[in-house]
């Protein structure tokens, strides 16, 4: 009876976690979280879920429109792929290389500081480091180009990447029915992400944000950079912006809001190609570690919760949690409403007492009470 109760509880928490995650942390194919700001009254609105329209202002988002060009005409905007709290991401055609790419346009208020600058620094280091020719670098997202673009809302950092594929949570929801991936596919992804992490660590770089949402999957390398993929997307869906009485839609706004395109699911019955993305939280092991960890709580290493310093080893714990979810279809720790203390107690129940130096922390009781 005890085992049955434990299994039922675990399955209930797992299903609740899945429903909660699908509502609160949906990822686009470029791993850009769809977030809408609820701060202050909404003076502007539209009929589709989108980035905070209040942030189309000086210092905020750049107003991108379909057919806009960047980098002296090199990149032409075709579709929207997603957005986050500090950027919008667009599918563009690279006229110089005759292929598709992903253009990330960052809010202008970030300027020459913050995580975006760190991401550029890390990605450039990977291309020039002694181990840059590491064969497993093909499983890391590549920075194609970076530049600044001046618009009505300021000067924006722009990053250009390969179109890596579809995120693992999206693949699970749309292909696996929201449960789990086939075992063969899960092990392929586990191997390739492990190789990607080995490449990073060989260059003394910690990823700092490893979990399933930062893994993109395609049928083959550069599959989504082929313009033929446009045949599966259809035309962009444009939606009008509505303003409350007394508010004006100025040049700080785009002409329309573009609904994000849905990339086709890759065929995953044979070989697949995985890429590890999002290096905003990455850091050099001989430098300063990131000040704040943004990885979902259940993937975080113990030292990131119980200590003030960490290094490359934090990625190993996150990798183990990621592989666990890839293979089983559920996270290793059932903590639906994620909080520090309950998670640590789950660690103790599964793995035994935490090290004595962490017990002296005082915030966490070392034993069940």
């Amino acid at each position: 009876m005890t085992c049955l109760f434990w299994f039922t509880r675990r399955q209930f928490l797992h299903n609740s976690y899945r429903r909660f995650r699908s509502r609160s942390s949906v990822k686009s194919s470029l791993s850009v979280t769809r977030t809408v700001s609820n701060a202050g009254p909404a003076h502007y609105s539209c009929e589709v879920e989108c980035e905070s329209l209040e942030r189309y202002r000086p210092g905020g988002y750049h107003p991108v429109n379909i057919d806009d060009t960047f980098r002296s005409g090199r990149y032409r905007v075709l579709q929207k792929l997603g957005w986050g709290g500090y950027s919008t991401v667009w599918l563009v055609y690279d006229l110089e290389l005759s292929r598709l790419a992903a253009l990330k346009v960052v809010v202008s208020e970030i300027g020459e500081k913050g995580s975006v600058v760190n991401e550029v620094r890390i990605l450039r280091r990977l291309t020039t480091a002694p181990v840059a020719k590491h064969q497993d670098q093909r499983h890391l997202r590549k920075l194609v180009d970076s530049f600044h673009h001046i618009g009505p809302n300021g000067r924006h950092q722009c990053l250009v990447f390969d179109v890596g594929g579809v995120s693992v949570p999206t693949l699970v929801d749309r292909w696996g029915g929201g449960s789990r991936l086939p075992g063969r596919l899960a092990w392929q992804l586990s191997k390739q992400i492990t190789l990607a992490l080995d490449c990073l660590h060989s260059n003394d770089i910690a990823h700092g944000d490893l979990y399933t949402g930062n893994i993109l999957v395609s049928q083959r390398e550069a599959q989504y950079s082929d313009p033929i993929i446009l045949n599966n997307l259809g035309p962009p869906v444009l939606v009008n912006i509505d303003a409350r009485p007394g508010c004006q839609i100025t040049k700080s706004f785009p002409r329309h809001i573009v609904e994000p395109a849905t990339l086709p699911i890759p065929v995953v019955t044979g070989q697949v190609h995985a890429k590890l993305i999002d290096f905003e939280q990455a850091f050099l092991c001989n430098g300063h570690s990131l000040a704040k960890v943004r990885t979902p709580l259940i993937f975080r290493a113990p030292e990131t919760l119980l200590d003030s310093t960490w290094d490359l080893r934090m990625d190993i714990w996150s990798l183990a949690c990621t592989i666990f979810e890839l293979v089983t279809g559920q996270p290793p720790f059932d903590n639906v409403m994620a909080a520090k203390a309950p998670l640590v107690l789950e660690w103790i129940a599964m793995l035994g007492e935490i090290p004595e130096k962490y017990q002296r922390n005082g915030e966490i009781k070392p034993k069940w009470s």
Side-chain angles (χ1 to χ4, degrees):
M1 178 65 70
T2 302
C3 293
L4 178 61
F5 171 77
W6 173 253
F7 174 79
T8 305
R9 171 186 174 275
R10 186 176 181 84
Q11 196 62 35
F12 169 76
L13 290 172
H14 161 59
N15 292 337
S16 299
Y17 166 80
R18 284 291 183 191
R19 289 193 295 270
F20 174 77
R21 188 176 70 171
S22 66
R23 291 195 304 267
S24 63
S25 60
V26 177
K27 288 271 185 173
S28 79
S29 60
L30 287 158
S31 188
V32 177
T33 310
R34 294 185 175 186
T35 55
V36 180
S37 172
N38 292 320
H43 297 95
Y44 305 92
S45 62
C46 69
E47 295 181 354
V48 296
E49 186 182 8
C50 68
E51 61 274 20
S52 172
L53 298 179
E54 313 297 323
R55 297 188 65 193
Y56 278 106
R57 52 167 174 74
Y61 294 116
H62 175 66
V64 180
N65 296 289
I66 299 299
D67 287 329
D68 279 358
T69 59
F70 290 78
R71 193 67 146 162
S72 301
R74 175 176 174 177
Y75 303 108
R76 183 168 68 87
V77 176
L78 304 178
Q79 290 269 11
K80 186 178 185 179
L81 289 172
W83 71 88
Y86 297 97
S87 65
T88 54
V89 182
W90 302 83
L91 182 68
V92 298
Y93 183 71
D94 184 345
L95 275 72
E96 185 174 304
L97 299 180
S98 300
R99 55 182 291 177
L100 301 179
L103 171 67
K104 180 178 181 178
V105 185
V106 182
V107 296
S108 64
E109 62 194 0
I110 287 183
E112 299 295 333
K113 60 182 185 299
S115 57
V116 175
V117 175
N118 180 67
E119 182 174 22
V120 174
R121 179 174 62 92
I122 292 294
L123 290 171
R124 285 177 175 167
R125 176 182 172 87
L126 276 173
T127 62
T128 59
V131 202
K133 300 301 181 182
H134 198 298
Q135 63 176 353
D136 298 319
Q137 194 178 22
R138 60 194 292 262
H139 296 299
L140 298 171
R141 167 176 269 183
K142 177 184 176 183
L143 179 66
V144 177
D145 194 7
S146 66
F147 57 92
H148 288 90
H149 183 84
I150 298 177
N153 294 333
R155 188 170 183 259
H156 303 263
Q157 173 80 57
C158 298
L159 309 179
V160 181
F161 301 98
D162 293 328
V163 186
V166 175
S167 70
V168 167
T170 299
L171 188 64
V172 171
D173 291 339
R174 290 168 52 192
W175 189 87
S179 56
R180 60 185 289 276
L181 298 172
R184 175 199 54 77
L185 175 58
W187 283 113
Q188 278 193 75
L189 299 180
S190 299
K191 177 182 178 180
Q192 292 180 23
I193 293 306
T194 302
L195 292 173
L197 190 62
D198 178 59
C199 179
L200 280 178
H201 286 192
S202 297
N203 283 287
D204 295 327
I205 297 173
H207 185 271
D209 194 16
L210 177 57
Y211 72 108
T212 50
N214 278 336
I215 301 173
L216 299 185
V217 184
S218 59
Q219 186 177 354
R220 62 185 184 280
E221 193 170 3
Q223 173 188 2
Y224 289 91
S225 296
D226 190 337
I228 198 172
I229 206 76
L230 295 173
N231 296 333
N232 298 313
L233 296 184
V237 177
L238 308 179
V239 182
N240 290 329
I241 300 174
D242 298 318
R244 291 177 59 183
C247 298
Q248 292 184 338
I249 299 178
T250 66
K251 64 180 181 179
S252 290
F253 288 84
R255 291 190 294 272
H256 302 90
I257 290 299
V258 184
E259 187 173 12
T262 301
L263 293 178
I265 290 294
V267 177
V268 291
T269 53
Q271 291 295 314
V272 297
H273 183 78
K275 277 186 183 271
L276 181 61
I277 66 169
D278 196 348
F279 296 91
E280 291 186 7
Q281 297 291 289
F283 61 91
L284 302 177
C285 68
N286 57 355
H288 296 289
S289 61
L290 60 165
K292 184 178 181 180
V293 180
R294 297 191 310 192
T295 310
L297 194 64
I298 55 175
F299 291 89
R300 295 185 193 178
E303 61 266 31
T304 65
L305 273 68
L306 304 175
D307 204 344
S308 59
T309 59
W310 42 85
D311 53 28
L312 296 174
R313 291 172 291 183
M314 66 179 288
D315 286 339
I316 304 302
W317 179 282
S318 297
L319 176 65
C321 294
T322 298
I323 292 176
F324 187 98
E325 182 168 356
L326 286 171
V327 174
T328 68
Q330 61 183 2
F333 305 105
D334 291 322
N335 196 13
V336 180
M337 302 303 291
K340 177 180 174 179
L343 179 59
V344 174
L345 292 177
E346 284 200 64
W347 292 342
I348 295 172
M350 181 177 291
L351 305 172
E353 292 294 344
I354 60 177
E356 185 178 349
K357 67 176 182 177
Y358 294 150
Q359 293 185 24
R360 293 195 297 266
N361 181 294
E363 294 184 44
I364 303 298
K365 294 182 180 179
K367 298 180 181 295
W368 291 94
S369 56

